[in-house]
Amino acid sequence: MGKIVVIGSSNTDLVIRTPRIPSPGETLIGSDFMINAGGKGANQAVAAARMGGDVCFVACVGDDGFGAEAVRHYAGEGIDTSYIVRRNGVASGVALIAVDDAAENSIVVAPGANALLSPADIDAVESEIAAADYLLVQLEIPMETVARATELAVRHGVRVILNPAPAAPIADEVLARLDLITPNRSETELLTGLKVENVGDAVAAAAWFRGRGVRRVAVTMGSAGALVADERGEEFVPAYRVEAVDTTAAGDVFNGALAGALSEGRELGAAARFAAAASSIACTRIGAQRSIPQRREVDSAE
């Protein structure tokens, strides 16, 4: 696989298993409690690394124990952590996650240091971006930081993958810099105004993105699969059928594995099938990064 720079969030996930997601004002007695490494950026970086990618992760953590442990963990995954910024006097990002018996989840995130990753921090990593095959970014960091990262990538001819999560408006100038965008149903609706209830809807949404300069699109549709589109047309990639126990990081695993597969030269459809296999395995396991499979497992599942 090629070199992938991932710029994004680093969180520690505090997870409770619960029979169902509580209603407002309701207290439920849960069961298992876990502390897991998480954050969309970190999840995707670890997924890409486990698929065999040469990964550099750019993030911002606080000067607390959560941040220190996170950096140690990423280094143990073989990820280059040289450009992870430590901010004094700031808490690292934390996510509170409830996972119910149907494997659905409810998540509240306190961004902490993630909100302080700045365009200046991105300028400091320009040489790494310039040397990459792909830049992978999400939206759990400031939008101006995302915009600066895409600007530098395009300047150096590096292809940009944007996972627009959590959903937020994106400027047309940023969309026009993207090689690939990977929204889910709700993110697609927020960005395009189009509901995605079937494959035809996803095709229309993909056309909307391509009309704004995005070269390739992957609209993910949960357990149904994903619709991918590029200059050659559209292809629906069905999801693998598994007994899901936790979908917490499924989308992040898809994105990290997709970036990895593209970096080794696979066409979009083949890369999406590989990513779907990785994501399906993650759904059968509890937790975010602890659920991410190794490359050999995905190769066996394809």
Side-chain angles (χ1 to χ4, degrees):
M1 286 189 178
K3 181 177 179 62
I4 303 165
V5 172
V6 181
I7 300 178
S9 56
S10 170
N11 288 332
T12 299
D13 293 347
L14 308 179
V15 185
I16 297 179
R17 297 284 301 187
T18 178
R20 55 184 172 79
I21 304 300
S23 301
E26 180 182 20
T27 298
L28 293 179
I29 302 300
S31 54
D32 299 334
F33 171 72
M34 294 167 287
I35 300 178
N36 298 325
K40 290 185 180 299
N43 293 344
Q44 293 178 22
V46 171
R50 290 190 185 175
M51 295 308 106
D54 174 10
V55 178
C56 173
F57 183 36
V58 182
C60 186
V61 299
D63 60 354
D64 51 18
F66 284 151
E69 177 56 33
V71 175
R72 283 194 294 269
H73 168 66
Y74 306 144
E77 293 284 348
I79 294 170
D80 181 358
T81 62
S82 303
Y83 296 93
I84 296 180
V85 180
R86 298 289 297 271
R87 293 277 193 262
N88 293 329
V90 178
S92 298
V94 172
L96 305 180
I97 304 176
V99 180
D100 70 13
D101 288 343
E104 295 298 329
N105 59 65
S106 177
I107 304 174
V108 178
V109 176
N114 293 307
L116 301 180
L117 187 65
S118 70
D121 295 323
I122 304 308
D123 289 340
V125 77
E126 182 172 0
S127 62
E128 289 294 317
I129 294 173
D133 295 286
Y134 278 91
L135 172 71
L136 175 58
V137 289
Q138 322 76 33
L139 301 181
E140 283 188 331
I141 56 175
M143 186 63 76
E144 61 266 26
T145 304
V146 172
R148 182 58 174 164
T150 64
E151 181 183 1
L152 292 182
V154 170
R155 175 185 299 174
H156 293 286
V158 175
R159 289 163 288 190
V160 181
I161 303 171
L162 173 63
N163 175 223
I170 301 170
D172 284 349
E173 65 180 8
V174 173
L175 288 174
R177 297 172 185 153
L178 305 182
D179 176 74
L180 173 63
I181 193 168
T182 62
N184 64 18
R185 285 188 178 104
S186 62
E187 292 151 7
T188 298
E189 182 176 354
L190 183 142
L191 292 169
T192 69
L194 304 172
K195 285 186 176 295
V196 177
E197 297 177 344
N198 53 51
V199 175
D201 295 340
V203 169
W208 187 95
F209 285 114
R210 285 180 45 77
R212 279 154 181 78
V214 181
R215 179 169 168 253
R216 301 186 287 183
V217 182
V219 178
T220 59
M221 303 168 66
S223 60
L227 183 284
V228 299
D230 59 18
E231 65 277 2
R232 296 171 302 168
E234 299 85 25
E235 178 182 352
F236 180 69
V237 177
Y240 286 68
R241 297 300 174 190
V242 296
E243 191 68 33
V245 298
D246 184 3
T247 60
T248 298
D252 294 332
V253 175
F254 182 91
N255 277 275
L258 184 66
L262 290 171
S263 78
E264 65 181 17
R266 297 198 192 198
E267 298 294 342
L268 181 58
R273 288 188 290 275
F274 177 84
S279 181
S280 70
I281 295 170
C283 289
T284 67
R285 301 169 179 173
I286 299 294
Q289 287 166 42
R290 68 171 60 189
S291 75
I292 301 171
Q294 300 292 333
R295 173 65 184 259
R296 62 182 181 277
E297 297 177 279
V298 182
D299 288 339
S300 297
E302 272 196 289

